[in-house]
């Protein structure tokens, strides 16, 4: 997102390569309870074009094309609409057969030699995954009940750490005892990201450089690329850095330049109507905007919304501050290293960054009190 020309070129090249890649089918059979009468099957890159699979008494069968080793997802139609339902995921190997049996929440997988070993890994991980899913559900319930985000984050970090450690131990043990199995190459991707590259060294040379290599290498490369983006974001958002100027169209259709606000404190609020935490924070933002009216300005920068949806959201939530629309071709997100929403960047009267706060964090309001409470 921050190096658009490179990404466009890379995506174009990837598309050309994909067009030339031969697809090979994998046959999937199932005798699985708690699946309903219909499943949608797809790979990550074909989520918008799923295969409809009919299920009768838990039994189903389908062929799906793969260009590479990839995850296959089988879900209820309700899941695609954002609701609860069956969720089955497993690694698909082009040209092989896989058979799923048992319960949708605790299935076993068999078939080729790969799937015999993969099933051992899958079972070893399931108990750990159940613990993590239970923690995620509990935190989600706390969000719905109005528990502050920072409190939830502390709970999650504290309780998730031993789960991550257990997962690392479980997966590490599997790799050490199955170093000559292709399933161990898949297991690399379940390690903590910062340890994946060193874990590859545990694989036999045959497996390390075999057909699973592009699968685990893509995950490693993606993590390392994200690390670079986050490091770059820290530099772009550093306190004391000159805030990059920009001009975007405001809610009245007129150009508004950040530099036109020089001489006063400005809060850049990167948000979107689709962002639940952004919306949840508006009442307190309005309270503080009124509390210190005239001492600072908020410039809302809408991101990843259709223009009309942005206008409707500003009106619906009755947001009294300045607003500009940030089109997808804009460089503003890249210039400020935005990695998550909401992000609030406080800029001083001299045009330099005072503080960057990611998420709906009470620290933002504490800082406003410190800046303006004694004035």
């Amino acid at each position: 997102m921050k190096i658009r020309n490179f990404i466009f070129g890379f995506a174009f090249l990837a598309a050309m390569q994909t067009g030339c890649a031969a697809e090979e089918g994998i046959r999937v059979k199932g005798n699985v309870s708690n699946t309903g009468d219909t499943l949608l099957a797809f790979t990550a890159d074909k989520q918008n074009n799923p295969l409809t699979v009919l299920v009768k008494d838990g039994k189903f069968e389908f062929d799906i094309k793969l260009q590479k080793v990839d995850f296959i997802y089988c879900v209820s139609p309700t899941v695609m609409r954002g609701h609860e339902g069956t969720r089955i995921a497993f690694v698909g190997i082009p040209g092989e057969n896989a058979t799923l049996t048992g319960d949708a929440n605790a299935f076993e997988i068999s078939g080729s030699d790969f799937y015999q070993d993969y099933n051992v890994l899958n079972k070893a991980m399931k108990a750990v995954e159940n613990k993590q899913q239970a923690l995620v559900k509990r935190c989600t319930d706390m969000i719905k009940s109005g528990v502050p985000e920072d409190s939830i984050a502390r709970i999650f970090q504290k309780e998730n750490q031993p789960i991550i450690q257990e997962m690392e131990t479980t997966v590490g043990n599997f790799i050490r005892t199955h170093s000559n199995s292709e399933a161990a190459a898949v297991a690399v991707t379940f390690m903590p990201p910062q340890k994946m590259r060193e874990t590859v060294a545990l694989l036999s040379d045959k497996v390390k450089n075999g057909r699973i290599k592009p699968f685990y290498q893509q995950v490693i490369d993606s993590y390392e690329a994200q690390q670079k983006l986050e490091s770059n974001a820290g530099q772009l958002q550093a306190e004391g850095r000159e805030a990059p100027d920009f001009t975007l169209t405001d809610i009245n259709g007129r150009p508004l330049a950040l530099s036109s606000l020089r001489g006063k404190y400005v809060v850049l609020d990167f948000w979107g109507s689709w962002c639940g935490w952004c919306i949840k924070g508006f009442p307190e933002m309005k309270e503080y905007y009124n509390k210190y009216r005239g001492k600072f300005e908020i410039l809302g920068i809408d991101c990843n919304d259709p223009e009309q949806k942005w206008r409707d959201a500003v009106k619906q939530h009755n947001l009294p501050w300045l607003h500009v629309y940030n089109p997808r071709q804009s460089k503003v997100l890249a210039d400020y290293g935005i990695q998550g929403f909401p992000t609030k960047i406080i800029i001083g009267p001299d045009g330099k960054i005072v503080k960057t706060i990611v998420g709906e964090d009470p620290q933002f309001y504490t800082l406003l009190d410190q800046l303006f409470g004694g004035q």
Side-chain angles (χ1 to χ4, degrees):
M1 187 163 60
K2 298 182 179 181
I3 40 179
R4 295 175 183 276
N5 291 337
F6 170 78
I7 290 179
F8 177 81
F10 180 81
F12 178 76
L13 177 61
M16 293 294 288
Q17 292 172 336
T18 298
C20 297
E23 289 190 322
E24 192 171 2
I26 173 175
R27 169 151 292 191
V28 180
K29 295 182 180 180
N31 187 358
V32 182
S33 58
N34 296 321
T35 55
D37 58 8
T38 305
L39 290 173
L40 299 178
F42 54 89
T43 56
D45 59 345
K46 294 183 178 179
Q47 184 173 349
N48 295 327
N49 188 28
L51 177 69
T52 300
V53 179
L54 298 180
V55 183
K56 185 174 182 180
D57 298 327
K59 296 180 180 180
F60 56 88
E61 184 173 342
F62 64 90
D63 294 314
I64 191 167
K65 297 293 186 182
L66 297 175
Q67 294 175 343
K68 61 185 187 310
V69 177
D70 202 354
F71 271 103
I72 296 174
Y73 302 91
C74 300
V75 304
S76 303
T78 53
V79 171
M80 303 296 280
R81 297 192 292 270
H83 303 297
E84 292 300 316
T86 298
R87 300 169 187 262
I88 296 173
F90 59 96
V91 172
I93 306 293
E96 302 209 4
N97 299 319
T99 300
L100 311 181
T101 56
D103 185 270
N105 297 314
F107 65 90
E108 300 217 8
I109 186 166
S110 59
S112 63
D113 289 343
F114 168 83
Y115 284 116
Q116 302 298 327
D117 289 340
Y118 181 75
N119 188 55
V120 176
L121 172 65
N122 199 46
K123 290 171 64 177
M125 291 175 55
K126 191 62 184 177
V128 187
E129 289 177 349
N130 286 342
K131 293 179 183 179
Q132 195 163 56
Q133 289 170 2
L135 175 59
V136 170
K137 184 180 184 305
R138 187 154 63 87
C139 289
T140 301
D141 290 341
M142 285 191 286
I143 291 173
K144 294 177 181 177
S145 65
V147 177
E149 182 182 8
D150 59 329
S151 298
I152 298 173
R154 286 195 295 270
I155 292 170
F156 184 83
Q157 290 171 2
K158 179 181 178 181
E159 297 188 19
N160 193 46
Q161 192 55 45
I163 297 176
I164 291 175
Q165 183 60 53
E166 184 178 351
M167 176 69 77
E168 180 181 341
T169 301
T170 300
V171 175
N173 288 340
F174 176 84
I175 293 173
R176 291 182 182 88
T177 56
H178 295 77
S179 61
N180 203 39
S181 167
E182 290 181 318
V186 170
V188 167
T189 65
F190 297 120
M191 290 293 284
Q194 67 274 19
K195 295 192 176 182
M196 286 189 290
R197 189 171 288 279
E198 65 183 70
T199 304
V200 171
L202 300 175
L203 303 174
S204 69
D205 289 342
K206 178 181 178 181
V207 171
K208 186 187 307 179
N209 300 305
R211 60 179 175 170
I212 312 295
K213 181 177 181 179
F215 178 79
Y216 73 69
Q217 191 64 53
Q218 181 180 14
V219 177
I220 293 173
D221 291 346
S222 296
Y223 166 71
E224 293 179 347
Q226 182 62 30
Q227 287 293 98
K228 289 180 180 179
L229 286 175
E230 291 177 1
S231 175
N232 190 37
Q235 297 173 19
L236 294 174
Q237 299 168 4
E239 296 173 21
R241 177 177 181 262
E242 188 82 18
D245 194 20
F246 58 83
T247 299
L248 294 172
T249 302
D250 71 9
I251 199 77
N252 298 309
R254 294 190 295 264
L256 192 159
L258 174 62
S259 55
S260 69
L261 302 175
R262 181 68 68 92
K264 62 174 68 175
Y265 279 95
V266 177
V267 174
L268 301 183
D269 179 35
F270 293 88
W271 71 287
S273 68
W274 44 268
C275 169
W277 281 108
C278 300
I279 304 302
K280 187 174 181 179
F282 285 155
E284 193 165 11
M285 283 181 68
K286 287 194 282 188
E287 177 185 331
Y288 268 75
Y289 187 68
N290 291 323
K291 180 178 181 180
Y292 296 121
R293 182 174 290 276
K295 295 183 179 180
F296 76 105
E297 186 55 77
I298 298 176
L299 179 58
I301 304 173
D302 180 87
C303 306
N304 303 326
D305 266 327
E307 184 173 351
Q308 189 56 52
K309 194 167 185 180
W310 159 60
R311 293 181 178 278
D312 292 344
V314 171
K315 182 178 180 180
Q316 176 187 350
H317 298 289
N318 193 26
L319 306 179
W321 45 81
L322 299 174
H323 293 276
V324 289
Y325 181 67
N326 184 50
R328 291 186 182 274
Q329 66 270 23
S330 162
K331 298 196 305 176
V332 175
L333 292 181
D335 288 345
Y336 281 88
I338 302 304
Q339 298 291 303
F341 299 88
T343 291
K344 297 179 178 66
I345 298 180
I346 301 176
I347 300 172
D350 59 357
K352 294 182 179 180
I353 294 175
V354 175
K355 191 75 174 178
T356 297
I357 298 172
V358 181
E360 190 54 33
D361 192 329
Q363 181 187 3
F364 171 66
Y365 302 104
T366 299
L367 182 56
L368 293 184
D369 285 332
Q370 292 172 349
L371 287 172
F372 310 122
Q375 296 182 12

